[in-house]
Amino acid sequence: MSLLSNSTKRGSVLIVGGGIGGMQAALDLADSGFKVHMVQRDPSIGGTMVMLDKTFPTGDCAMCMISPKMVEAGRHLNIDVHTLAEVISVEGDAGDFRVKVKVAPRFVDADKCTGCGDCEVKCPKKVPSNFDQKLGQRKAIYSLFPQAVPNTRAIDSSQCICLNDPDKKRCRLCEKACKAGAINYEDKGKEIELNVGSIILSPGLELYDARVRQELGLGRWQNVVSSIQFERILSASGPYKGVVQRPSDQKHPVKVAWIQCVGSRDNRNANPWCSSVCCMYATKQSIIAKEHDKNIEPTIFFMEMRAFGKDFDKYVERAKNEYGVRYQRAMVSAIREEPGTGNLFMKYAAEDGSLMTEKFDMVVLSVGFQPHCDAEAFAKTFGIETTPYLFPKTSPFAPVRTSREGVFVTGIYQGPKDIPETVMQGSSVAGSVMALLAEARGTETIEKELPPEKDVAGEAPRIGVFVCHCGTNISSTVNIDEVVAAVKDQPGVTYVTNTIYACAQDNQDMIKQTIKEQNLNRVVIASCTPRTHEKLFQETIREAGLNKYLFDLADIREQCSWCHKGQNEVATKKAIGIVKMSVAKSRLQEPLKSETVGVTPECLIIGGGIAGMTAALSLADQGFPVHIVEKDSELGGLVKGVYRTLEGLDVQEFLKDRIEAVKEHPGITVHTGAEVKQTDGFVGNFKTLLTDGSAVEHGAVILATGGIEYQPTEYLYGQSPNVLTQRQLEKRIAEGENPKAGERYIMVQCVGSREEPNQYCSRVCCQDAVKNAIAVKQLNPEAEVMIIYRDIRTYGLREDFYKQARDLGVIFIRYDVDRKPEVAQSGNKVTVRTWDYMLNRELSLEADWLVLSTGLRPHPTTDQVGAMYKVTRNPDGYFLEAHVKLRPVDFPSEGLFVAGLGHAPKNIDETVTQALAASGRAGVVLSHKRLAVSGIIAKHKRELCMSCLSCLRVCPFGSPYIAEDGKISHNEIKCMGCGICAGICPAKAFQVNNFRDDQILAMIDAAVESEPGVLN
Amino acid sequence: MADVAEAAEQILVSTVEAPHDTPADWTPNVLAFACHYCAFAAADLAGVMRLSYSPSVKIIRLPCTGKLDHIHILSAFEKGVDGVFAAG
Amino acid sequence: MFAARRIEYVKTLLKKVGIDPARLEMYNLSAAMGPRWAEMCDEFVDRIRNLGPSPIWLASRKQSEKGVTEQ
């Protein structure tokens, strides 16, 4: 094999694990010039997220969000997905690894299989479905889930009747059923060799097996289920079709209990770490369960409510106040089934120690995560070091790097984390790889070859309509056959059909095939919302040779079946109306040209803290010149006041290294003491003027504006010499002022956090308190430390330090927000009075030092910078990302990214992660020579224009301008297609493509026609 | 909502429309003009949250309510639509 | 903002031609306001139900009925 460039590095990457994190990394890398090989153990990519019903806080259906990504990864030209595959050996070094992959036999030929599923129907062997957590069944030939990618079915060799017959003569029904001749019982699998420059490990974790804790009764009492089983119960495509019912008797449960920390935070029976996500998923499940069935009364039994993420506390408050979810602090000791009824008696110790017994109809165990059972061998295969818990060894300063150069780690395998953090880390590892393999970018990728666009100008419309069942999501409410029949005779419609999942790969192929066979020149798909699926379908029709704007999506799910459940007749009528409106619009659609613009391959980063510097170094290593603008006279940001990480690493040393690296890097220009004065432009082509007089042209911008610490006004801060903040205590310790024997430190948590008007968790303060408490105790065991807290949120692997603090004798006392501690000066000490919920009485404690754990706030400039770049902020002032789950570093406007405290409170490792993610996302933009601009823009007819300047005044993007002849012209590159100009223009000189007045009027007509009784 | 209460009052004293009988087969036909980023997304969310509401409303998606034109509203009424609202 | 002004103006036009301006309304809501959307739709449809069919709908119905009997 010959190398295309002189580089000794390979331009390809191996990603082990095809969950949401692996997919994000794959898409970022493949979209920016790297060839990706994805190795996945399961027969489909998707990982854990595909099993989930919905995600919080938006309640978006998990499958709906991940399915377009899977399809994109599955059909990406530069991503090769190897399913049923495992890596068996790795040789070589960073830049040039040789990897052997063992692919297990699938017994179905992917090249021949159409994914029709006839084989599955005929297969006589039913086995419990692992995907449905054994609550449902699948066949011996199966696809993991309906939207599986690839959609080629696989035969489970341990279950197949034929494969278990020595002569392979029995059954063979799937072979007979398969019209494509894709079944191959002789498949032996294969071994392949890959040459890659870098390796990304994203294998995910496995769930704790709660059967180990026999007293909780999983596997013994039928109505005790694990949280992942409950997720399947909630799922509309799950074993109970989304009806919340008990496994024992299919009765609808009323009292449902969740038990937290099953398998987590438990040194004796399970894993010592906190799994980070269970508090929130239990809250979500209780809300969703209640939405499915309003009679359900959820109770969550928990030790500590760890709602530490962005807007998580608000979600928990909503669960309590709007949904009536009961949160009970307790230790559950045992569950017993009531004989004959299937009901469950739960014994628990309430906070004050009293023993309670309560009856429930159903119990959900919130199980945690742990490394795969073969984690040790896995690490050995890749030659990486692990922690004693078998997580890969990483540093908070380089969270995605393993001990072996060129091998990176991402997602939940790196440490327990939720979906947005996994996605973020996916981009972050992509950014790291882009920097490592910069010179090999583009050496192994191929360009997509699209068929030429069919010229449809002058042709009469030949519209094809595809009506989607969405499993049963639409078809259980809307009568699909009636919709198909009603649309058939609409003018311009030449073909109508139905489809089970329009978004699944096989149906996409079917749509392409139909376009060709029926010679369609317009396509309408009636399925779900254009907000999530329009792009996917547009690409599909483009691949079939149609201009992508000859497409319309009629939403009959979000705006019909889902909100008119049980009203099948009217919902069907409405769906017919919606589809007819789409058809009316489609009839008037014209092919649109998409312009492309050049990209200035430079990046501007606002903020010179850890986030800004990390992103800058990564991008500069990728080969893109970077400008950092820092308001202060020196780099460093908030971290200047931090001395140690929780793990004990030297932050100041790290900061010094970073600053030096930034200053020395030839690709980075630093503008200290400067701010953004003025900015203009759009993705690929920004122009920004700085207050130091320099003008920067750049293709992308990263907002890393950082945060500040809350300056407390409560608890005698500023009035008493005994009152400090955690940061001040940390400084004292760093400067060698050691705690004295007998000295008492009392720390108060959540100062300025988790109460109105700052109803959010600042995330870092619990760890700061634990870190300083440990430091005090280690420096002088004779000193006394007490932490007065609301919930100790040492999530993930940080839980170890909480335990260490307790082992060192740090005393933890809980308080409630409506019974906050009271502080008074008494001589040269302060007295703290607080209620002790365990003893059920008030305590009065004297302290030498009262240490306040103060929260974080966004930097005051966030407001101004946000306004300048027209990005929105949440009610707390933090930047609002494009999507809380799947786009955690993007803004809705392209080319703008966010990193660090400006996005939400976070730790150093998380800031580094997000900064690398921003560099990965920006790298995708900057690696393109040209970018395509949307065709949905306003078109300006100069001959109609009177140059009244109305449009100039109202356009939020500055696209209309006064041309040299003194009349209005329109810069289509800047136009975002909002149509404000079209609305205000008195001469009707502006029309927005695909939202033209004639199209809207046609939709209005269709809306009226579809209404019987209205005569025209 | 204050504006609805106000409107209700308006209806009682309204002399704009002549009194009429409502035919038994009539059902309200309402058109909504919704901004892609705000109201349309909210309508999506209502669906995702499985909130049940009147099926009489059909949505016309606009890139932004700023795009809404007099002619759209007037034409809807002219064709016999019973009510129109814009949301953004 | 522009839409709100436009709606106010069209309301005056509707009044002139004998259509109750209550049949037209402007609402503001954000992407996160799913519940409000549902509530708003119900409120507005209730209002329209109280107002009954639009005069234009009634007129065109009458006309077409006449058309049918004449035939």
Side-chain angles (χ1 to χ4, degrees), chain A residues 58-59 529 531 534 555 558-559 562-564 574 581 977-979 983 988 995 997 1000-1001 1004-1005 1008 1011, chain B residues 29 40-41 44-45 47-48 50-53 55 57-64 66-67 69 72 75 79 81:
Chain A
T58 51
T529 172
R531 294 178 62 250
E534 187 172 52
D555 182 355
E558 281 84 349
Q559 294 174 9
W562 277 356
C563 49
H564 310 313
K574 177 172 169 180
M581 286 161 77
C978 72
K988 300 269 149 278
F995 293 98
D997 284 335
I1000 291 172
L1001 294 177
I1004 294 170
D1005 285 350
V1008 179
E1011 208 50 41
Chain B
N29 188 16
F40 195 80
D44 269 4
L45 183 56
V48 170
R50 310 295 194 277
L51 301 171
S52 181
Y53 60 87
V57 181
K58 285 197 220 62
I59 304 177
I60 293 182
R61 181 167 62 109
L62 297 177
C64 165
K67 165 85 184 70
D69 207 302
H72 303 149
S75 153
K79 296 284 154 56
V81 165

Side-chain angles (χ1 to χ4, degrees), chain A residues 603-751:
Chain A
C603 189
L604 179 76
I605 296 176
I606 303 175
I610 285 298
M613 289 193 289
T614 304
L617 285 167
S618 171
L619 277 165
D621 284 346
Q622 287 183 47
F624 304 117
V626 179
H627 291 263
I628 299 180
V629 194
E630 169 56 53
K631 193 172 173 290
D632 278 356
S633 55
E634 55 179 350
L635 294 169
L638 193 63
V639 93
K640 279 186 285 194
V642 184
Y643 295 85
R644 301 257 159 202
T645 67
L646 182 60
E647 298 80 3
L649 298 181
D650 188 335
V651 176
Q652 291 302 312
E653 188 69 29
F654 166 66
L655 181 62
K656 217 175 81 197
D657 287 352
R658 276 278 136 112
I659 292 175
E660 251 163 54
V662 164
K663 284 184 176 161
E664 277 168 18
H665 204 296
I668 303 177
T669 314
V670 180
H671 306 262
T672 40
E675 284 180 79
V676 173
K677 193 173 165 190
Q678 201 191 334
T679 183
D680 195 12
F682 46 91
V683 58
N685 298 272
F686 292 99
K687 271 188 199 137
T688 301
L689 271 180
L690 306 180
T691 49
D692 67 358
S694 41
V696 183
E697 290 194 14
H698 51 108
V701 56
I702 296 174
L703 307 185
T705 47
I708 53 167
E709 264 166 35
Y710 167 64
Q711 289 303 309
T713 53
E714 52 268 74
Y715 299 123
L716 300 180
Y717 184 78
Q719 296 163 43
S720 163
N722 307 75
V723 183
L724 302 173
T725 64
Q726 289 290 358
R727 205 62 65 217
Q728 287 167 327
L729 174 61
E730 187 176 350
K731 188 160 189 254
R732 281 173 61 90
I733 295 171
E735 286 169 354
E737 283 192 52
N738 286 349
K740 298 179 191 72
E743 233 177 14
R744 184 186 273 166
Y745 291 77
I746 295 184
M747 300 178 175
V748 179
Q749 298 305 108
C750 299
V751 179

Side-chain angles (χ1 to χ4, degrees), chain A residues 467-500:
Chain A
V467 187
C468 178
H469 292 248
C470 193
T472 57
N473 277 294
I474 296 171
S475 60
S476 64
T477 305
V478 171
N479 185 325
I480 304 288
D481 293 341
E482 274 182 44
V483 177
V484 168
V487 179
K488 229 171 208 143
D489 54 353
Q490 287 291 293
V493 173
T494 55
Y495 184 82
V496 190
T497 189
N498 60 345
T499 150
I500 302 299

Side-chain angles (χ1 to χ4, degrees), chain A residues 39-81:
Chain A
V39 168
Q40 167 79 338
R41 215 185 285 204
D42 296 335
S44 168
I45 56 173
T48 304
M49 188 177 162
V50 288
M51 294 184 199
L52 307 184
D53 174 41
K54 295 193 191 64
T55 62
F56 72 92
T58 51
D60 286 351
C61 137
M63 184 57 84
C64 304
M65 290 195 293
I66 197 172
S67 178
K69 285 224 182 223
M70 288 196 294
V71 172
E72 208 183 330
R75 66 187 200 168
H76 202 294
L77 263 189
N78 290 313
I79 301 176
D80 283 353
V81 177

Side-chain angles (χ1 to χ4, degrees), chain A residues 325-372:
Chain A
V325 178
R326 173 180 151 220
Y327 286 84
Q328 175 71 47
R329 266 178 219 272
M331 293 279 273
V332 176
S333 52
I335 294 170
R336 292 274 173 278
E337 189 179 68
E338 183 180 47
T341 66
N343 296 337
L344 301 155
F345 284 108
M346 188 194 293
K347 277 195 178 141
Y348 65 90
E351 203 182 10
D352 60 6
S354 53
L355 289 174
M356 316 285 280
T357 302
E358 198 174 334
K359 193 159 92 174
F360 287 93
D361 299 322
M362 194 169 172
V363 172
V364 183
L365 307 182
S366 295
V367 293
F369 296 117
Q370 60 194 18
H372 285 290

Side-chain angles (χ1 to χ4, degrees), chain A residues 196-223:
Chain A
V196 295
S198 178
I199 297 170
I200 295 171
L201 306 179
S202 60
L205 293 184
E206 67 186 23
L207 291 160
Y208 172 74
D209 184 354
R211 284 174 305 184
V212 172
R213 287 189 62 187
Q214 289 184 0
E215 75 279 16
L216 297 179
L218 184 73
R220 184 155 50 137
W221 318 126
Q222 269 189 295
N223 296 329

